[in-house]
Structure formats: structure tokens, C-alpha cells
Amino acid sequence: MSSRIEQIIEEIEEYVDSCKFQPLSSTKIVVNKEELEELLRELRMKTPDEIKRYQKIISNKDAILADAQTKADAILADAQDKQAQMVQENEVMQAAMEQSEQLLEQTRRQAQEMLDSATADANNIRMSAISYTDDMLANLEQIMNHATETVGAKYNTFINAIQSCNDIVTKNRMELSPQVGNNSNYVPTGDTSAEDEFEEE
């Protein structure tokens, strides 16, 4: 089952794919700012929970190792009890000692194999969780970079359009004024507060 954060990333990708291209462009799209911000807001809210979830998976490594150590200790304790019992009950002391040593050595090998297996499993879980989290953050980084580039391009296009319109208006006023031809120092008058305000922003 996919996590909510994966679903949100898929929704963002589907939304970007569904957006219409700008006129005369095959790379720039028209984005509904509110919809995209809503998806990104939910993504920011879910990301800490997802990271905590995988941190919890990583922390389970210690629990797996502790459980394996407990089982190994129990096996060793049982083997030592059997060794003591065999020594007491067996009339042939030497045979009993040899048999008990073999049993104890076999038990030690089994316990080490359990610990090695548990360590490998815990490391695999940890690496999988780290890899998944890294992939998730890489997708998020790519989406943010794309959004930043798109917004920056639209802002520059808007500024250039405003400047072009302003140049045309200024030129037209100068052509319409009968004083322009006789006064080289003529400067069109008008309310420039809106332009100043825009430049300050």
C-alpha cells in the first residue's frame, strides 16, 4: 500500500501533466496557483510523519538484535543446564564432558548464526527505509525546482510586457503632442505612482 505522501506526489505529477500549455509554447504551462499550493501544503504536513515512520522502522533494528540476543542467551543457558545435568548423571565423566562440549559448541554456532541473520535483516530494513526516504525527497526537490523555474519565467515575461506597453504609451504621447517637435526637453507628464509602486515591489 502506497503512503499518503506518495499519493500526493502522484497527484502533483498528474496535475502538472493536465495543465494546458501557454499559447505558442510547448514547455510552459498555465498553473492554478491555489490548487498547486494546496497540494504542496498537504505534502509539507505529511512529510514529517512519513520521515518519523521510517525512523521508527530503522529503530526496530535494535529491537530485532535485542530479541535475537535474548533467544541466544536462553539457548546458551539451556545448553549449560543440560551440560551440568549430563555430567552429574553420566557414570562415564569423560564421555559426558565431550558430549556436553559438542552440544555447547553447536549451540554457540546456532546462536551466532541467529545474531548474524538478525543483523543482516535489520541492516536491510534500515537501508531500504533510507533509500525510500531519499527517493521521496528527491521527487519533492524536483517538483519544487520545476515550480520555481515556471514562476520565475512567468514573472520575467510579465515585467517585459509591462515595460513594452509603457514604452508604446510614452511614444504615442510624444507623437500626439504638438510641442514635441519644438521642445527637445519635453517630458510627458502623468501619474507615475503606479509604476513607482510596481518597481518598489
Side-chain angles (χ1 to χ4, degrees):
M1 178 182 296
S2 61
S3 64
R4 177 55 187 155
I5 198 165
E6 289 176 297
Q7 294 175 359
I8 296 173
I9 292 175
E10 290 177 358
E11 290 177 10
I12 292 175
E13 291 174 343
E14 291 175 358
Y15 173 74
V16 171
D17 290 339
S18 67
C19 290
K20 295 181 179 179
F21 287 101
Q22 289 185 353
L24 305 179
S25 174
S26 61
T27 58
K28 298 178 181 179
I29 59 174
V30 178
V31 177
N32 186 308
K33 180 180 179 183
E34 293 182 358
E35 290 184 23
L36 184 58
E37 285 181 344
E38 181 62 27
L39 290 172
L40 293 177
R41 189 178 303 109
E42 185 175 0
L43 184 63
R44 283 193 295 269
M45 292 175 62
K46 293 294 182 181
T47 297
D49 293 336
E50 285 293 307
I51 292 176
K52 288 180 181 178
R53 174 186 170 193
Y54 291 107
Q55 286 176 339
K56 184 177 180 180
I57 293 175
I58 293 172
S59 68
N60 285 341
K61 173 184 175 181
D62 294 336
I64 294 173
L65 293 175
D67 181 66
Q69 183 65 57
T70 300
K71 291 179 179 178
D73 292 341
I75 293 174
L76 287 173
D78 183 65
Q80 289 171 350
D81 290 341
K82 289 181 179 179
Q83 179 188 35
Q85 185 177 1
M86 290 174 64
V87 170
Q88 292 175 1
E89 295 179 354
N90 200 324
E91 296 178 353
V92 183
M93 182 66 69
Q94 186 63 34
M97 287 294 296
E98 290 177 358
Q99 187 176 1
S100 63
E101 286 294 335
Q102 291 176 0
L103 176 61
L104 188 58
E105 180 61 26
Q106 181 181 359
T107 303
R108 287 196 182 101
R109 287 198 302 269
Q110 292 177 349
Q112 187 60 49
E113 289 174 359
M114 290 178 62
L115 284 172
D116 292 342
S117 178
T119 300
D121 290 342
N123 286 334
N124 288 336
I125 292 174
R126 177 177 177 273
M127 293 305 298
S128 295
I130 291 175
S131 177
Y132 177 83
T133 303
D134 183 66
D135 289 343
M136 176 190 65
L137 294 177
N139 288 337
L140 178 59
E141 181 181 16
Q142 184 177 4
I143 291 171
M144 294 300 183
N145 288 337
H146 178 71
T148 300
E149 292 173 0
T150 301
V151 171
K154 290 181 178 179
Y155 178 79
N156 290 334
T157 300
F158 176 74
I159 292 298
N160 291 335
I162 291 294
Q163 186 60 51
S164 177
C165 290
N166 184 60
D167 292 341
I168 292 173
V169 170
T170 301
K171 180 179 179 181
N172 289 341
R173 292 189 64 203
M174 293 178 68
E175 290 176 352
L176 292 174
S177 175
Q179 301 177 3
V180 174
N182 300 324
N183 187 358
S184 60
N185 295 325
Y186 171 76
V187 177
T189 60
D191 184 5
T192 60
S193 59
E195 181 179 350
D196 294 339
E197 180 181 351
F198 181 79
E199 291 178 352
E200 291 177 358
E201 292 179 354

